[in-house]
Structure formats: C-alpha cells, structure tokens
Amino acid sequence: MRDVIRDVRDVPAPPRRAFLKYTGALGMAAALSSSLAACSSGPQSTNDTGGSGSGRTLTAVIGYGNDGSWDPTQTASAFAMAANNHIYEGLLDTDPISREPYAALATEVPKDLTGTSWKFTLRAGAKFHDGKPVTADDVVFTFDRILDAKTHVLAYGFFSGWLKSVQKIDATNVELVLNYPFPEGASRLTLAKIMPKHVFSRPGAWDDAIKGLAVGSGPYKQTAHHPKSNTTFAAFADYNGPRPPAFKKMNWLTIVDAAPRVARISGSNAGAQIADNIPYANISRLRSGGLDVKGAAGMNNLFLMFNTQHKPFDDVRVRQALHYAIDTAKMVQVALKGHGKPSTSFLNEGNPDYRPAKTVYDYDPDKAKALLKAAGVTNLSINILAVNVSWIVDCLPTIKASWDAIGVKTTLSPQETTAVFTKMDQKQDYQVVAAASNPNQFGLDADLIMHYNYGPENLWMGYTRWASNSTAKKLFKDMALAGKESDPDRKKAMIQDYIDIVAEQAVLYPVVHNELMTAWDPKKLSGIRAQPYPGINLLQAKWV
C-alpha cells in the first residue's frame, strides 16, 4: 500500500496504482461498466484449482466482474467478496442481513466483548480444502499480514486501530489483544478470513491470490476460475462447520451487461436459478414469469464528489447549492422507479446509527440560487464526470435538468469506470464526479463506513483534495475520538454529530440511496434473502 503511515482509525482504500486491480468494482462496491467484463460463451483464461465434483449444479448470475483481486485481505471486488464468504471462514462470521456475529472457525462468540482480551478455541476437525488441519499458526499468520503496517493491505484499516496483536496459546487456541475495548470488532472478524500458512507463505502466493487462487476452510471449495467468464465451486466433503453446503456444485457466471444477465434467468428454459443486480425496468416482467424479485435497501448510493481545489467548488455554499438544486423526488420516481429515497444523512435510514442530518438537501431551487448569489458565482458551467453504470446513467438527466434550471450550464460526461478513476489516480483536474458506492459489503458499522469514506489519508480524501482544510482536520479529530468512545450511546451521538459536519460540507455526499434487486426461481430455491450490497449469499439456501 502507500508508504505513508495512516491514522490508526483510518479505513484505507487500495493504493491508487492498484485501485481497479484490487477492486474490480467502483468505490469498493459499485458495478463495473459493461465494457469491463461480460459473459462469454467460454472462458477467456483459466486457472484450475481443483476437481469438478459431481451432482446437481446451482447456476448463479452475478452482475459484477470476477477479475478483481481474490485475496481476502485486499479485495473489495463484489464478486470475489461474495464468493470468499463461501470459500473461507473467519473466527467469527456474520449473518448476511443482520450482520450479527456467529461462531465460524471459533467454537463460540466471546461472552464478554467489553474487555481487551478475546480468547478463541478453533473448531475441532476443521480442515482446509487441501486436507490440512486449521491451526492457531494459520490464524496468527493471517492477522500478522493484516496488521503489518508495511504491507498495509486493505483490511489493515479495519483492525489496526483497535486490535494490538493476535497470539498463539497452543495449537487450537488464540488470544486477540485489543488496544481498548471495542465490541464492534466482533462483527469485523468476518473480514479476516483465515488463510492457510502453508499455501500463502510460499513465494508468489499473494500474487496468485489476487489472480484467483482460493484455499479456505469453508463449505465450498473453488474448483475453477475463468476471469471475465465464470467461477465454479464444489461442496467440501470434510466441512464440519455451522453452515454446511446444500449444493453439490455451483457455477457463478459474471454478466455485467443488464440484458444478457436478465435473459439468462428468464423463461421456462432459464440457464440460471438466481441473479443479482436486477434492473428496475425488468422487475415486473420477471415476476410475471414466476420469479421472486426482492430488493434490500442499504448504503448503495449515487454520490457527488467535488474537487475542492477547483474554484468555485472550494466554497461550501456552491457545493450546497448544487445539492439543493437536484429534484431528488423526480430522480427516485423516474430513474429508480420508486426503488430509492433521497438521502437525509450520509448513512441510509436503515443503519442503526442513523438520524437525519442537521443539513438535509430537500429540493429547493430558490435556496440554491440564493447560495450561488451569496458566493458571487454567475455563469457557472459544469462538466459532470460520471461512471456509465446503468442506473447512474439513468439518474444523470435529472441532475442536468435541475442544474440547468438554476442557470448552471451542465454537460454530462459518462465514461467507463476505468477511465474515470484513471483520471482521479493521475490527479487530473475535474469539477464534479457522479458515481456509486456501497460500503455495506464490509458491514453496518457506522464507524467503519465513515472512516472508509472520510479517513484523513484515504483514497477518497485524496480525490477531493480536502484533507488539508481546517474543517476537515477538525472532523478527523472528532472521528478518532468517537471511534475510541466506550459508551455506546455516547459513541452513537458523537458519530451523528460529525456526520452533521460531513452533511454540511458536502464534499463527498450521497444524493439518493437505492435498493439492490435479486431475482430467483422459488420453485427451485428456498432460503434466499435479498441483501443490500452486491453479490449473493447461499449459505442458508437449498434446493426446493
């Protein structure tokens, strides 16, 4: 990662030079443009990783690329993170919807999470997919990598502030030593997937992990990986954990283009039983064809990001004016077909730490004009640099019409995700970026979410050129103090208070939060729950 040592409360994004390599997704959670990945009739390249198994195959369609990093300590790829939840285990894992922790490789959740020492016993008989036993050495190996400030993997920022070290007690017992009490850390342990030391300590193994090598202890083992085409899985016969595999085989197709993705799950001869990232326009047709199509609301959002070193966007009044000017109700109705809500906080309304921010950008074009006038701004022309993710593109005309209506001449410039963020990485000049993000794939933890987006030295603050601002420096201090607060109610209030600053400043701020839709055949599958972040979770699903 970077050579700079980050604030211990910062949740970093991948390094600029490897942003798309690690994620395979925009903003660590958003869809790739259709030109980056598409399903083909056969694999474009192959990395075989095991046998094929036998039995009935579940076929899933994932609307995100499978060619991002598969290294669990590094990845933010929607496809890889969803797959890794089936391949690997943490000491604790979390329910995909409630995000409540449950014992996975560990035998139980610690009864007291308020202390600074958590002890875990590993599940008896737990094995990796190559047949080797899971040991305390593997746990220490994994956490040593995560906590290594020099390596500085993505997961470093999820743990480094509160977790001091992980120590081996004996072959099947470990102790986590905390810097201070941090009960929220229990749910974060699912982000530390335990990896076999004998596999990933070999020279070049971490590069292989990025490319697709996956060896875990979970209910499914990866059997083949074809970047930009599909990844296959088989039930792991020696798995003895809490969520045993229900499918003998799985084949996950990556189809980023909406039309072929919908076609693959449609009709009496559908080639798949489940698909995520369903376009709103196709919901009615799929339901009439007998599929269940359900949505889940979370942090998925369209955000605006301003270059605060490009005048007049250094003036908070201009940023506020452009938010007040957007007819968000029309955007929700027309572009999102009712499957969203105007943002009333950085957090979505379903987050446990949500409350409306003190500054809510209700549609108010007169106020927008007044703010521009107070800032002395006239004849403003804006080029919106946007990703060409389909639902973002659907929302852009509403922004243009709204800004044109207050006298701001607006040009839309949707481009491939790679093109947009190459410009950001190269520090090219820009005015406003419109893109998508969903940090819920890491969890519901508001502290994590806000530090991911507003950490003082993270990727996003670098893009906005705002970190040196005096208001930003005060914000970062408030965030660090809130992260260390032990009283839950006080901590929640502190987080809400600094979110008010984030809302007021509107440097990087959501316009709307929307639902993500999942479709499946209820005559073939049961136990499916739509999740509010990309991907699918089949650990509690089964054949009908």
Side-chain angles (χ1 to χ4, degrees):
M1 299 298 280
R2 292 187 187 179
D3 295 331
V4 177
I5 301 300
R6 302 170 194 258
D7 180 89
V8 295
R9 299 299 307 155
D10 181 21
V11 178
R16 286 187 170 91
R17 66 182 179 273
F19 179 73
L20 291 166
K21 172 183 173 184
Y22 286 148
T23 65
L26 168 65
M28 311 305 259
L32 282 168
S33 65
S34 60
S35 62
L36 291 178
C39 183
S40 61
S41 58
Q44 297 180 22
S45 61
T46 301
N47 296 314
D48 291 324
T49 55
S52 61
S54 62
R56 190 177 180 187
T57 300
L58 177 139
T59 301
V61 183
I62 309 298
Y64 308 91
N66 73 339
D67 55 344
S69 172
W70 282 67
D71 176 357
T73 71
Q74 294 274 37
T75 193
S77 160
F79 192 111
M81 286 193 71
N84 282 343
N85 284 333
H86 298 73
I87 296 170
Y88 292 95
E89 298 175 282
L91 291 171
L92 305 179
D93 280 326
T94 59
D95 181 86
I97 306 302
S98 71
R99 312 311 280 267
E100 286 294 317
Y102 64 88
L105 265 176
T107 56
E108 64 179 357
V109 179
K111 293 180 175 61
D112 182 10
L113 293 171
T114 62
T116 57
S117 173
W118 298 348
K119 294 181 179 179
F120 295 95
T121 298
L122 298 180
R123 187 176 71 236
K127 295 181 181 180
F128 289 112
H129 297 154
D130 61 2
K132 301 289 186 180
V134 181
T135 70
D137 289 330
D138 300 302
V139 177
V140 172
F141 168 77
T142 300
F143 277 99
D144 279 352
R145 174 171 169 81
I146 289 172
L147 294 175
D148 185 352
K150 294 181 180 179
T151 304
H152 218 158
V153 296
L154 172 62
Y156 174 85
F158 300 139
F159 295 94
S160 61
W162 57 275
L163 183 58
K164 182 178 181 179
S165 64
V166 177
Q167 301 173 1
K168 174 182 176 180
I169 299 173
D170 57 34
T172 59
N173 289 274
V174 296
E175 180 184 12
L176 274 61
V177 180
L178 282 60
N179 288 317
Y180 48 81
F182 193 69
E184 298 92 334
S187 62
R188 294 193 190 183
L189 292 182
T190 191
L191 300 174
K193 301 301 188 187
I194 304 306
M195 306 176 73
K197 180 179 180 179
H198 65 275
V199 172
F200 291 101
S201 62
R202 297 186 307 225
W206 292 117
D207 288 336
D208 291 338
I210 290 172
K211 297 173 185 176
L213 175 65
V215 182
S217 62
Y220 295 94
K221 59 182 180 180
Q222 186 198 82
T223 52
H225 178 54
H226 311 300
K228 298 188 178 183
S229 175
N230 69 305
T231 303
T232 63
F233 312 81
F236 178 40
D238 288 336
Y239 177 76
N240 66 348
R243 300 198 172 180
F247 308 106
K248 294 292 185 182
K249 296 181 182 179
M250 297 195 298
N251 183 20
W252 288 19
L253 310 175
T254 170
I255 307 181
V256 178
D257 283 341
R261 184 167 66 252
V262 171
R264 186 61 66 100
I265 199 172
S266 301
S268 58
N269 295 316
Q273 296 83 44
I274 185 171
D276 77 340
N277 198 17
I278 297 298
Y280 304 127
N282 297 105
I283 294 173
S284 295
R285 181 166 66 85
L286 291 175
R287 284 175 175 166
S288 65
L291 298 183
D292 279 353
V293 185
K294 294 183 179 179
M299 272 294 295
N300 210 60
N301 68 86
L302 179 156
F303 66 84
L304 295 180
M305 180 172 68
F306 294 93
N307 180 356
T308 61
Q309 290 186 359
H310 187 124
K311 292 183 178 298
F313 308 109
D314 59 331
D315 192 320
V316 64
R317 294 169 294 185
V318 175
R319 301 193 297 267
Q320 290 179 339
L322 294 171
H323 272 279
Y324 278 119
I326 299 173
D327 190 345
T328 50
K330 179 180 179 181
M331 181 182 289
V332 169
Q333 178 185 6
V334 175
L336 304 181
K337 311 300 182 187
H339 294 278
K341 290 184 178 181
S343 299
T344 55
S345 169
F346 195 94
L347 301 175
N348 64 294
E349 293 183 14
N351 188 284
D353 289 320
Y354 166 86
R355 70 159 164 75
K358 289 184 178 178
T359 303
V360 176
Y361 295 101
D362 294 324
Y363 178 47
D364 193 339
D366 291 335
K367 188 170 186 175
K369 292 177 183 178
L371 284 166
L372 289 177
K373 183 177 180 181
V377 174
T378 57
N379 300 318
L380 179 60
S381 296
I382 294 178
N383 178 66
I384 301 178
L385 181 62
V387 299
N388 64 350
V389 175
S390 59
W391 72 270
I392 295 290
V393 172
D394 291 342
C395 290
L396 293 177
T398 301
I399 298 178
K400 173 176 169 55
S402 298
W403 288 359
D404 285 346
I406 63 168
V408 176
K409 184 178 179 181
T410 307
T411 302
L412 302 177
S413 184
Q415 301 177 21
E416 295 179 2
T417 298
T418 46
V420 172
F421 283 92
T422 294
K423 290 179 172 65
M424 299 295 100
D425 294 342
Q426 294 174 348
K427 299 183 180 180
Q428 293 185 24
D429 189 33
Y430 75 96
Q431 295 176 296
V432 185
V433 164
S437 180
N438 192 335
N440 274 165
Q441 70 187 79
F442 301 116
L444 296 177
D445 182 349
D447 175 82
L448 183 156
I449 290 169
M450 297 309 300
H451 279 88
Y452 165 66
N453 287 278
Y454 273 84
E457 294 179 9
N458 72 7
L459 194 69
W460 300 109
M461 291 298 95
Y463 289 161
T464 62
R465 284 86 151 166
W466 190 61
S468 61
N469 182 279
S470 59
T471 302
K473 291 180 179 179
K474 171 70 165 55
L475 170 67
F476 300 151
K477 290 180 180 179
D478 291 345
M479 293 171 71
L481 289 173
K484 296 178 180 179
E485 175 57 48
S486 59
D487 180 80
D489 292 336
R490 176 61 181 153
K491 181 171 187 172
K492 181 176 181 178
M494 293 171 72
I495 291 173
Q496 291 171 336
D497 286 346
Y498 74 64
I499 287 177
D500 287 338
I501 299 173
V502 170
E504 178 187 46
Q505 292 297 310
V507 171
L508 185 158
Y509 202 72
V511 175
V512 290
H513 290 99
N514 68 326
E515 289 183 289
L516 290 176
M517 310 302 296
T518 303
W520 65 92
D521 187 343
K523 296 180 181 178
K524 296 180 180 178
L525 295 178
S526 66
I528 303 296
R529 292 180 291 168
Q531 59 190 37
Y533 49 96
I536 56 175
N537 188 299
L538 300 173
L539 295 180
Q540 293 176 298
K542 60 183 180 181
W543 292 117
V544 172

